[in-house]
Amino acid sequence: MKGTVGELGEFGLIRELTARLTSTPAVKIGPGDDAAVVAAPDRRVVATTDVLIEGRHFRRDWSTAYDVGRKAAAQNLADIAAMGAVPTAVLLALVVPAELPATWPVELMDGIRDECQVAGAAVVGGDVVRGDTITVAVTALGDLRDRTPVTRSGARPGDIVAVAGWLGWSAAGLAVLTRGFRSPRAFVEAHRRPEPPYHAGPAAADLGAHAMTDVSDGLVADLGHIAAASSVDIDVRSADVDVPAQMSDIGQAVGVDPLHWVLTGGEDHAIVAVFPPDVKLPARWRVIGSVTKAGRNPQVTVDGAPWEKSAGWDHFGPEEA
């Protein structure tokens, strides 16, 4: 596709974007009307939204538009799964400069569409407007299918903590990119296109999970949300978290303890859940800690000691968080 977004025009751009979409049985009315209609058999709708801003959450010299689309969809769809729900639909609000090549938003939509297909959802509508900074805002919807939503507030003393998915890979990939390299490729790709274990969320709900969240800001930070909501202490056993040999090699090369990436690195969107101690977990789950006690000052400890370093990402905290 030649030309810019401005040359294509608002409605020309919308036609190009919607022409690339696929649907699912849950979508009763898709793009083209004032609003979409999505089936909600459970009679409850799980909803979440997130925003990516160029220069803050992605860089075009590091990630293609397709990468950004996959990432934007993944971080929202993972939130749906972390409630124990099945993703059904996504809405996209897009801000782009008029001089942006028209291929960029088209490839972005390809990425969002393909990530939705992985999760079993579909893009059902959205909006495009002109602005100075590329901004990608995604809203995702999901269906609980008669499940009780799994919140952050149900953890109990004696429960075990388990994770499904990767931890620290995106942070290691970001460290590689920041230093001007593009390999090891697996870690760079993990930063560009996270791969959340979508099916693990509903499966955890079926297994009786007491609390659950996705790891978007960092394991210690996100477990901290569960601890605070549940008024409990949670202890992580560092020997039980997975630190791949290649991640250790990256850490040695850049002077970073790879355990720091695993404990505080965000954007892998692994699912971490708190289960009853007698649960029989499938192989995809790795037990990494336990809920130790209830308390008025809930905290997350590592190997029994308070974690004194940064716990993870805070949009309004210092840049090094």
Side-chain angles (χ1 to χ4, degrees), residues 7 15 43 47 95 111 123 127 169 188 278:
E7 291 167 344
R15 282 194 300 271
R43 302 179 68 85
V95 180
V123 181
D127 191 23
W169 286 59
V188 172
D278 58 351

Side-chain angles (χ1 to χ4, degrees), residues 103-127:
T103 53
W104 200 92
V106 168
E107 292 171 3
L108 173 87
M109 182 61 87
D110 286 346
I112 294 174
R113 176 203 62 209
D114 288 355
E115 191 64 31
C116 283
Q117 288 179 338
V118 172
V123 181
V124 297
D127 191 23

Side-chain angles (χ1 to χ4, degrees), residues 187-202:
F187 293 89
V188 172
E189 289 303 306
H191 176 71
R192 290 170 172 162
R193 303 182 194 176
E195 297 182 10
Y198 299 118
H199 299 297

Side-chain angles (χ1 to χ4, degrees), residues 197-253:
Y198 299 118
H199 299 297
D206 293 339
L207 288 165
H210 288 160
M212 182 161 53
T213 189
D214 77 309
V215 183
S216 55
D217 296 323
L219 179 65
V220 173
D222 289 313
L223 282 177
H225 300 320
I226 291 179
S230 302
S231 298
V232 297
D233 289 356
I234 295 175
D235 186 58
V236 176
R237 296 186 296 269
S238 63
D240 291 333
V241 298
D242 183 33
V243 181
Q246 201 168 25
M247 185 185 293
S248 296
D249 293 341
I250 298 172
Q252 185 175 9

